[in-house]
Amino acid sequence: MYTVKCLNPIASKGLDLFTEDFKVIDDLDKADAVLVRSAAMHDLAVPESLLAVARAGAGVNNIPLDEYAKKGIVAFNTPGANANGVKELVVAGLLLASRDIIGGYNWVKENASEENLAKLVEKQKKQYAGNELKGKSIGVIGLGAIGVLVANICNRLGMKVYGYDPYVSVDSAWRLSRNIHHAKTADEIYKECDYITVHVPALEDTKGMINKDAISLMKKGVVILNFARDVLVNQEDIVDALVSEKVRCYVTDFPTKEIVGVRGAIVIPHLGASTEESEDNCAKMAAAEVKDFLENGNITHSVNFPDCDMGAKGEGERITILHKNIPNMIGQFTALLAEKNMNIEVMTNKSRKEYAYTMLDVDGTVSEDVEAQLAAVEGVLKVRVIR
């Protein structure tokens, strides 16, 4: 029996994937795995027995990834599960920025009691006319699950789309429309585009990437959209750019004290993935990742360990070892098993920076002594035998 603790409400369509071999519990100290959405885990005491944490969403800034890696706790996220919901809100943001829909709506609401409203409308509407998106240029920085969808829908809207991502995956490249112009640098997008939308994770080299230096390269009257993370845009610099009208409009899904109320800022209360469909998709993906890891040892969409898949576990026992990515680890594992006259039927090993993961299907019973000896190898973080 595997136990799962939910730190936030998780959609039932995800929890329904768990079989009778799983039980959702309230006691974190007895949990094999955790499902989480926005709950902060940095100061949360977790048991040594915890095996996995799955974030029902893409961002993982609420999870102490390095600390968990050192403890042999695999952290997952659900990339792409909420991509369509975010994409649709980006399109809404483009329309709100290009046509003064909000200003027009507010004017109608304020003048709802006017007897000659219909005539007033004809005089007033030109103030909210705006521009069409067709024919305008847009730069999409980051071509992951969301960025690809945004680039493709903007292409279908008739926009000239520039895409920039030096680390674009093969899968994303296959899904990207051939009409997307491949920008060699972010500076090319800054200089050429009428609209710029950012879809990259919050890393040390991306935080504050939209700053006064980047903005200085942009066209006067540019529109910037940020539905990724608030820290990607320097708040003081974007406020200055809006006040000076270098940036005509900044559409963001992240209210901050600096940006709320600034003229030209359209601030949305973090609604990007807040759709019923997105929450269901994230819950289903997170539950599936945890289920496959606990039952088979497979890692898919980890953010602190390498992905590694050896398929469904057969009738024999499977040894899984989370360890440091240092020389001769596999040699030590195989030598130890050979000494115990245990034959390895299938083995795989994957590494990711300083961490690695080894899976071995063996033809015998793994004793507690063997398990303890494997765990005692220097550099091993956690050993688990799936029987």
Side-chain angles (χ1 to χ4, degrees), residues 257-312:
K257 62 181 181 180
E258 295 91 350
I259 202 65
V260 171
V262 176
R263 182 180 176 83
I266 298 176
V267 185
I268 301 168
H270 203 188
L271 300 180
S274 297
T275 66
E276 183 178 338
E277 293 85 354
S278 287
E279 291 185 7
D280 286 348
N281 291 337
C282 287
K284 287 190 288 186
M285 186 181 288
E289 291 165 352
V290 164
K291 185 173 183 292
D292 192 24
F293 177 66
L294 294 180
E295 291 182 332
N296 301 303
N298 297 322
I299 296 178
T300 306
H301 299 142
S302 174
V303 286
N304 63 348
F305 280 99
D307 282 5
C308 189
D309 191 335
M310 209 157 73

Side-chain angles (χ1 to χ4, degrees), residues 176-250:
L176 196 63
S177 168
R178 65 180 181 179
N179 295 322
I180 309 304
H181 172 75
H182 175 213
K184 301 296 191 297
T185 65
D187 286 358
E188 182 180 353
I189 283 178
Y190 298 152
K191 294 175 182 178
E192 299 295 331
C193 294
D194 304 309
Y195 296 80
I196 296 172
T197 180
V198 185
H199 300 283
V200 298
L203 305 173
E204 286 306 313
D205 59 346
T206 60
K207 291 178 181 177
M209 62 181 292
I210 303 297
N211 54 30
K212 62 182 179 181
D213 293 332
I215 294 170
S216 70
L217 300 176
M218 299 178 190
K219 296 180 178 181
K220 181 175 176 58
V222 68
V223 172
I224 300 174
L225 301 98
N226 178 14
F227 287 81
R229 284 289 178 268
D230 57 346
V231 294
L232 302 177
V233 177
N234 182 290
Q235 297 298 292
E236 292 182 1
D237 292 350
I238 192 65
V239 169
D240 290 344
L242 287 168
V243 171
S244 68
E245 298 185 352
K246 175 64 183 282
V247 173
R248 180 169 63 82
C249 185
Y250 175 55

